[in-house]
Amino acid sequence: MTDVLRDGDFLEKAADFASHEPVARNYAPPAYLLDHYWWAYVHPRAVRLFERQWLVDAILWGNYRRLRDAALDALGPDFSGRTLQVACAYGDFTKTLFAQVARAHGALEVVDALPIQIDNLRAKLPRETGVRTHVMDAAALEFPDARFERAVLFFLLHEQPDDVRRRTLTEALRVVKPGGKLVVVDYARPRPWNPLRWLMAPILALLEPFALDLWRNEIVDFAPGRGVAATKPRRFFGGLYQLVVLRRED
């Protein structure tokens, strides 16, 4: 596994970012990532393939920017204090988020379970962004309680098994301050009239073995049962995508 993570010429670019917080190379990624998503996130060739803005936009049927901006609008307008992004994202999500955070003189921290994804993120960001990165399991965040004013999960939950998804939401809410928000953007069950309903079901079943859980259940159903308030899901593109804001109440 170590050879796979360190292979690839794109890592040479990441070496220029040595001034950033060091990445823990001895971390063992969750098994579900290695078993089900090696083709999308783990192998260097996968990173080189998918790290194209036009491609991630095409995968989301042209909705990447719309969903990115909706997430940022839900997080804002005040980006002061600390913001947490749980899991890296292909495309310019983090760069755009940091621009908002920087204007408010806030701080942005990003966690991901895969060192290769952290390296890829660093290579995309300007040298002096000040974004702090951590190799860390989303389901076992190594932060103290109530560290962040806000957090965001951008297309992460559909990739996780049920138990991991529940722990991820619990952990993200734990590290958000009381009254703080957790913004979640992910897949949802399309409206009955949406023709993509019949196309996406077999595609997700084949490539994203846990994604259809979000068709059968509301995101709030995976969150802790107490101390959490949730907005009504905001639907996009005929219901295929959703945005939910969870607030920690205590």
Side-chain angles (χ1 to χ4, degrees), residues 21-48:
E21 181 174 298
V23 174
R25 296 292 176 178
N26 59 352
Y27 178 79
Y32 75 89
L33 279 174
L34 305 182
D35 292 341
H36 298 288
Y37 292 104
W38 60 269
W39 57 273
Y41 301 111
V42 179
H43 198 282
R45 291 182 181 176
V47 177
R48 289 196 294 270

mmCIF file of all heavy atoms in Angstrom, residues 21-48:
data_model
loop_
_atom_site.group_PDB
_atom_site.id
_atom_site.type_symbol
_atom_site.label_atom_id
_atom_site.label_comp_id
_atom_site.label_asym_id
_atom_site.label_seq_id
_atom_site.Cartn_x
_atom_site.Cartn_y
_atom_site.Cartn_z
ATOM 1 N N GLU A 21 1.766 21.864 7.328
ATOM 2 C CA GLU A 21 1.786 20.878 8.412
ATOM 3 C C GLU A 21 2.100 19.495 7.849
ATOM 4 O O GLU A 21 1.538 19.100 6.829
ATOM 5 C CB GLU A 21 0.425 20.872 9.100
ATOM 6 C CG GLU A 21 0.325 19.920 10.255
ATOM 7 C CD GLU A 21 -1.010 20.090 10.954
ATOM 8 O OE1 GLU A 21 -1.275 21.164 11.474
ATOM 9 O OE2 GLU A 21 -1.776 19.113 10.951
ATOM 10 N N PRO A 22 2.994 18.735 8.443
ATOM 11 C CA PRO A 22 3.377 17.434 7.896
ATOM 12 C C PRO A 22 2.232 16.437 7.903
ATOM 13 O O PRO A 22 1.325 16.510 8.726
ATOM 14 C CB PRO A 22 4.510 16.979 8.828
ATOM 15 C CG PRO A 22 4.272 17.713 10.100
ATOM 16 C CD PRO A 22 3.724 19.044 9.688
ATOM 17 N N VAL A 23 2.274 15.525 6.951
ATOM 18 C CA VAL A 23 1.272 14.481 6.840
ATOM 19 C C VAL A 23 1.783 13.206 7.492
ATOM 20 O O VAL A 23 2.935 12.823 7.308
ATOM 21 C CB VAL A 23 0.955 14.205 5.345
ATOM 22 C CG1 VAL A 23 0.026 13.025 5.201
ATOM 23 C CG2 VAL A 23 0.342 15.445 4.705
ATOM 24 N N ALA A 24 0.948 12.555 8.263
ATOM 25 C CA ALA A 24 1.339 11.316 8.937
ATOM 26 C C ALA A 24 1.259 10.161 7.940
ATOM 27 O O ALA A 24 0.182 9.738 7.552
ATOM 28 C CB ALA A 24 0.424 11.046 10.131
ATOM 29 N N ARG A 25 2.395 9.648 7.523
ATOM 30 C CA ARG A 25 2.437 8.614 6.493
ATOM 31 C C ARG A 25 2.135 7.214 7.024
ATOM 32 O O ARG A 25 1.911 6.302 6.250
ATOM 33 C CB ARG A 25 3.813 8.610 5.838
ATOM 34 C CG ARG A 25 4.142 9.884 5.094
ATOM 35 C CD ARG A 25 3.277 10.037 3.868
ATOM 36 N NE ARG A 25 3.529 11.303 3.203
ATOM 37 C CZ ARG A 25 2.942 11.680 2.082
ATOM 38 N NH1 ARG A 25 2.060 10.889 1.526
ATOM 39 N NH2 ARG A 25 3.211 12.836 1.531
ATOM 40 N N ASN A 26 2.148 7.046 8.316
ATOM 41 C CA ASN A 26 1.953 5.704 8.855
ATOM 42 C C ASN A 26 0.497 5.400 9.142
ATOM 43 O O ASN A 26 0.172 4.400 9.754
ATOM 44 C CB ASN A 26 2.774 5.515 10.141
ATOM 45 C CG ASN A 26 2.398 6.517 11.221
ATOM 46 O OD1 ASN A 26 1.626 7.449 10.966
ATOM 47 N ND2 ASN A 26 2.928 6.342 12.418
ATOM 48 N N TYR A 27 -0.411 6.254 8.689
ATOM 49 C CA TYR A 27 -1.833 6.058 8.942
ATOM 50 C C TYR A 27 -2.387 4.960 8.033
ATOM 51 O O TYR A 27 -2.078 4.925 6.832
ATOM 52 C CB TYR A 27 -2.583 7.375 8.707
ATOM 53 C CG TYR A 27 -4.062 7.263 8.905
ATOM 54 C CD1 TYR A 27 -4.605 7.264 10.183
ATOM 55 C CD2 TYR A 27 -4.916 7.139 7.822
ATOM 56 C CE1 TYR A 27 -5.962 7.155 10.368
ATOM 57 C CE2 TYR A 27 -6.271 7.033 8.000
ATOM 58 C CZ TYR A 27 -6.790 7.046 9.273
ATOM 59 O OH TYR A 27 -8.149 6.923 9.452
ATOM 60 N N ALA A 28 -3.207 4.078 8.580
ATOM 61 C CA ALA A 28 -3.813 2.999 7.802
ATOM 62 C C ALA A 28 -5.195 3.439 7.336
ATOM 63 O O ALA A 28 -6.085 3.637 8.163
ATOM 64 C CB ALA A 28 -3.922 1.731 8.641
ATOM 65 N N PRO A 29 -5.432 3.617 6.044
ATOM 66 C CA PRO A 29 -6.732 4.061 5.553
ATOM 67 C C PRO A 29 -7.833 3.049 5.871
ATOM 68 O O PRO A 29 -7.564 1.848 5.992
ATOM 69 C CB PRO A 29 -6.525 4.186 4.039
ATOM 70 C CG PRO A 29 -5.045 4.281 3.858
ATOM 71 C CD PRO A 29 -4.455 3.471 4.965
ATOM 72 N N PRO A 30 -9.072 3.485 6.010
ATOM 73 C CA PRO A 30 -10.180 2.559 6.250
ATOM 74 C C PRO A 30 -10.281 1.510 5.149
ATOM 75 O O PRO A 30 -10.063 1.798 3.971
ATOM 76 C CB PRO A 30 -11.409 3.483 6.261
ATOM 77 C CG PRO A 30 -10.871 4.831 6.613
ATOM 78 C CD PRO A 30 -9.507 4.895 6.003
ATOM 79 N N ALA A 31 -10.652 0.307 5.536
ATOM 80 C CA ALA A 31 -10.688 -0.804 4.583
ATOM 81 C C ALA A 31 -11.676 -0.562 3.456
ATOM 82 O O ALA A 31 -11.428 -0.966 2.306
ATOM 83 C CB ALA A 31 -11.027 -2.097 5.321
ATOM 84 N N TYR A 32 -12.808 0.073 3.728
ATOM 85 C CA TYR A 32 -13.811 0.247 2.675
ATOM 86 C C TYR A 32 -13.271 1.110 1.538
ATOM 87 O O TYR A 32 -13.651 0.912 0.373
ATOM 88 C CB TYR A 32 -15.107 0.830 3.237
ATOM 89 C CG TYR A 32 -15.062 2.302 3.571
ATOM 90 C CD1 TYR A 32 -15.381 3.267 2.626
ATOM 91 C CD2 TYR A 32 -14.701 2.735 4.847
ATOM 92 C CE1 TYR A 32 -15.342 4.617 2.936
ATOM 93 C CE2 TYR A 32 -14.655 4.070 5.165
ATOM 94 C CZ TYR A 32 -14.984 5.014 4.208
ATOM 95 O OH TYR A 32 -14.924 6.350 4.515
ATOM 96 N N LEU A 33 -12.383 2.050 1.851
ATOM 97 C CA LEU A 33 -11.788 2.864 0.792
ATOM 98 C C LEU A 33 -10.898 2.023 -0.115
ATOM 99 O O LEU A 33 -10.937 2.153 -1.342
ATOM 100 C CB LEU A 33 -10.972 4.004 1.409
ATOM 101 C CG LEU A 33 -11.720 5.241 1.872
ATOM 102 C CD1 LEU A 33 -10.770 6.199 2.578
ATOM 103 C CD2 LEU A 33 -12.402 5.935 0.703
ATOM 104 N N LEU A 34 -10.098 1.174 0.492
ATOM 105 C CA LEU A 34 -9.197 0.334 -0.291
ATOM 106 C C LEU A 34 -9.961 -0.717 -1.084
ATOM 107 O O LEU A 34 -9.602 -1.040 -2.216
ATOM 108 C CB LEU A 34 -8.185 -0.342 0.634
ATOM 109 C CG LEU A 34 -7.363 0.583 1.532
ATOM 110 C CD1 LEU A 34 -6.379 -0.227 2.360
ATOM 111 C CD2 LEU A 34 -6.634 1.632 0.720
ATOM 112 N N ASP A 35 -11.030 -1.235 -0.507
ATOM 113 C CA ASP A 35 -11.784 -2.300 -1.161
ATOM 114 C C ASP A 35 -12.656 -1.786 -2.300
ATOM 115 O O ASP A 35 -12.781 -2.445 -3.343
ATOM 116 C CB ASP A 35 -12.672 -3.020 -0.138
ATOM 117 C CG ASP A 35 -11.878 -3.806 0.881
ATOM 118 O OD1 ASP A 35 -10.695 -4.094 0.615
ATOM 119 O OD2 ASP A 35 -12.430 -4.114 1.961
ATOM 120 N N HIS A 36 -13.284 -0.636 -2.111
ATOM 121 C CA HIS A 36 -14.304 -0.180 -3.050
ATOM 122 C C HIS A 36 -13.911 1.044 -3.877
ATOM 123 O O HIS A 36 -14.525 1.291 -4.920
ATOM 124 C CB HIS A 36 -15.604 0.138 -2.301
ATOM 125 C CG HIS A 36 -16.199 -1.037 -1.598
ATOM 126 N ND1 HIS A 36 -16.808 -2.079 -2.264
ATOM 127 C CD2 HIS A 36 -16.272 -1.342 -0.279
ATOM 128 C CE1 HIS A 36 -17.245 -2.969 -1.391
ATOM 129 N NE2 HIS A 36 -16.929 -2.544 -0.173
ATOM 130 N N TYR A 37 -12.931 1.815 -3.415
ATOM 131 C CA TYR A 37 -12.659 3.086 -4.083
ATOM 132 C C TYR A 37 -11.203 3.261 -4.488
ATOM 133 O O TYR A 37 -10.764 4.394 -4.731
ATOM 134 C CB TYR A 37 -13.086 4.254 -3.180
ATOM 135 C CG TYR A 37 -14.576 4.321 -3.018
ATOM 136 C CD1 TYR A 37 -15.187 3.891 -1.833
ATOM 137 C CD2 TYR A 37 -15.393 4.782 -4.047
ATOM 138 C CE1 TYR A 37 -16.558 3.933 -1.688
ATOM 139 C CE2 TYR A 37 -16.760 4.828 -3.907
ATOM 140 C CZ TYR A 37 -17.344 4.401 -2.728
ATOM 141 O OH TYR A 37 -18.701 4.440 -2.589
ATOM 142 N N TRP A 38 -10.468 2.164 -4.604
ATOM 143 C CA TRP A 38 -9.086 2.261 -5.065
ATOM 144 C C TRP A 38 -9.018 2.894 -6.451
ATOM 145 O O TRP A 38 -8.077 3.613 -6.785
ATOM 146 C CB TRP A 38 -8.447 0.871 -5.095
ATOM 147 C CG TRP A 38 -9.151 -0.077 -6.011
ATOM 148 C CD1 TRP A 38 -10.170 -0.935 -5.691
ATOM 149 C CD2 TRP A 38 -8.921 -0.243 -7.417
ATOM 150 N NE1 TRP A 38 -10.589 -1.625 -6.807
ATOM 151 C CE2 TRP A 38 -9.836 -1.218 -7.884
ATOM 152 C CE3 TRP A 38 -8.034 0.340 -8.325
ATOM 153 C CZ2 TRP A 38 -9.888 -1.621 -9.217
ATOM 154 C CZ3 TRP A 38 -8.084 -0.054 -9.657
ATOM 155 C CH2 TRP A 38 -9.004 -1.043 -10.074
ATOM 156 N N TRP A 39 -10.058 2.657 -7.262
ATOM 157 C CA TRP A 39 -10.077 3.117 -8.647
ATOM 158 C C TRP A 39 -10.378 4.615 -8.758
ATOM 159 O O TRP A 39 -10.151 5.223 -9.809
ATOM 160 C CB TRP A 39 -11.142 2.357 -9.438
ATOM 161 C CG TRP A 39 -12.520 2.490 -8.841
ATOM 162 C CD1 TRP A 39 -13.081 1.712 -7.867
ATOM 163 C CD2 TRP A 39 -13.489 3.485 -9.163
ATOM 164 N NE1 TRP A 39 -14.342 2.156 -7.556
ATOM 165 C CE2 TRP A 39 -14.615 3.238 -8.338
ATOM 166 C CE3 TRP A 39 -13.527 4.555 -10.067
ATOM 167 C CZ2 TRP A 39 -15.768 4.031 -8.389
ATOM 168 C CZ3 TRP A 39 -14.672 5.343 -10.115
ATOM 169 C CH2 TRP A 39 -15.771 5.080 -9.295
ATOM 170 N N ALA A 40 -10.891 5.212 -7.689
ATOM 171 C CA ALA A 40 -11.309 6.616 -7.727
ATOM 172 C C ALA A 40 -10.432 7.534 -6.898
ATOM 173 O O ALA A 40 -10.269 8.710 -7.240
ATOM 174 C CB ALA A 40 -12.759 6.748 -7.257
ATOM 175 N N TYR A 41 -9.860 7.024 -5.797
ATOM 176 C CA TYR A 41 -9.164 7.908 -4.869
ATOM 177 C C TYR A 41 -7.779 7.435 -4.446
ATOM 178 O O TYR A 41 -6.958 8.250 -4.024
ATOM 179 C CB TYR A 41 -10.005 8.083 -3.589
ATOM 180 C CG TYR A 41 -11.369 8.643 -3.853
ATOM 181 C CD1 TYR A 41 -12.510 7.862 -3.675
ATOM 182 C CD2 TYR A 41 -11.530 9.957 -4.285
ATOM 183 C CE1 TYR A 41 -13.769 8.377 -3.928
ATOM 184 C CE2 TYR A 41 -12.783 10.479 -4.533
ATOM 185 C CZ TYR A 41 -13.897 9.677 -4.362
ATOM 186 O OH TYR A 41 -15.149 10.183 -4.614
ATOM 187 N N VAL A 42 -7.509 6.152 -4.511
ATOM 188 C CA VAL A 42 -6.308 5.606 -3.890
ATOM 189 C C VAL A 42 -5.125 5.537 -4.856
ATOM 190 O O VAL A 42 -4.018 5.939 -4.514
ATOM 191 C CB VAL A 42 -6.598 4.207 -3.294
ATOM 192 C CG1 VAL A 42 -5.332 3.634 -2.665
ATOM 193 C CG2 VAL A 42 -7.730 4.279 -2.275
ATOM 194 N N HIS A 43 -5.355 5.024 -6.052
ATOM 195 C CA HIS A 43 -4.244 4.824 -6.977
ATOM 196 C C HIS A 43 -3.833 6.153 -7.609
ATOM 197 O O HIS A 43 -4.689 6.971 -7.966
ATOM 198 C CB HIS A 43 -4.627 3.825 -8.072
ATOM 199 C CG HIS A 43 -3.446 3.256 -8.784
ATOM 200 N ND1 HIS A 43 -2.755 3.953 -9.766
ATOM 201 C CD2 HIS A 43 -2.801 2.071 -8.644
ATOM 202 C CE1 HIS A 43 -1.756 3.224 -10.209
ATOM 203 N NE2 HIS A 43 -1.758 2.074 -9.545
ATOM 204 N N PRO A 44 -2.537 6.408 -7.771
ATOM 205 C CA PRO A 44 -2.084 7.668 -8.390
ATOM 206 C C PRO A 44 -2.694 7.932 -9.758
ATOM 207 O O PRO A 44 -2.981 9.077 -10.105
ATOM 208 C CB PRO A 44 -0.570 7.486 -8.473
ATOM 209 C CG PRO A 44 -0.236 6.547 -7.362
ATOM 210 C CD PRO A 44 -1.392 5.602 -7.275
ATOM 211 N N ARG A 45 -2.893 6.895 -10.557
ATOM 212 C CA ARG A 45 -3.492 7.115 -11.871
ATOM 213 C C ARG A 45 -4.924 7.604 -11.740
ATOM 214 O O ARG A 45 -5.401 8.384 -12.576
ATOM 215 C CB ARG A 45 -3.433 5.818 -12.682
ATOM 216 C CG ARG A 45 -2.025 5.415 -13.102
ATOM 217 C CD ARG A 45 -2.039 4.149 -13.936
ATOM 218 N NE ARG A 45 -0.696 3.746 -14.313
ATOM 219 C CZ ARG A 45 -0.420 2.632 -14.988
ATOM 220 N NH1 ARG A 45 -1.399 1.806 -15.354
ATOM 221 N NH2 ARG A 45 0.837 2.335 -15.293
ATOM 222 N N ALA A 46 -5.625 7.146 -10.693
ATOM 223 C CA ALA A 46 -6.986 7.614 -10.463
ATOM 224 C C ALA A 46 -6.999 9.098 -10.139
ATOM 225 O O ALA A 46 -7.840 9.853 -10.632
ATOM 226 C CB ALA A 46 -7.622 6.814 -9.321
ATOM 227 N N VAL A 47 -6.068 9.520 -9.313
ATOM 228 C CA VAL A 47 -5.995 10.939 -8.948
ATOM 229 C C VAL A 47 -5.704 11.779 -10.184
ATOM 230 O O VAL A 47 -6.330 12.829 -10.401
ATOM 231 C CB VAL A 47 -4.932 11.162 -7.856
ATOM 232 C CG1 VAL A 47 -4.797 12.645 -7.527
ATOM 233 C CG2 VAL A 47 -5.294 10.376 -6.598
ATOM 234 N N ARG A 48 -4.771 11.340 -11.005
ATOM 235 C CA ARG A 48 -4.445 12.094 -12.213
ATOM 236 C C ARG A 48 -5.637 12.150 -13.170
ATOM 237 O O ARG A 48 -5.841 13.139 -13.869
ATOM 238 C CB ARG A 48 -3.224 11.485 -12.907
ATOM 239 C CG ARG A 48 -1.922 11.708 -12.154
ATOM 240 C CD ARG A 48 -0.717 11.436 -13.042
ATOM 241 N NE ARG A 48 -0.611 10.045 -13.428
ATOM 242 C CZ ARG A 48 0.059 9.117 -12.733
ATOM 243 N NH1 ARG A 48 0.662 9.453 -11.604
ATOM 244 N NH2 ARG A 48 0.123 7.881 -13.153
#
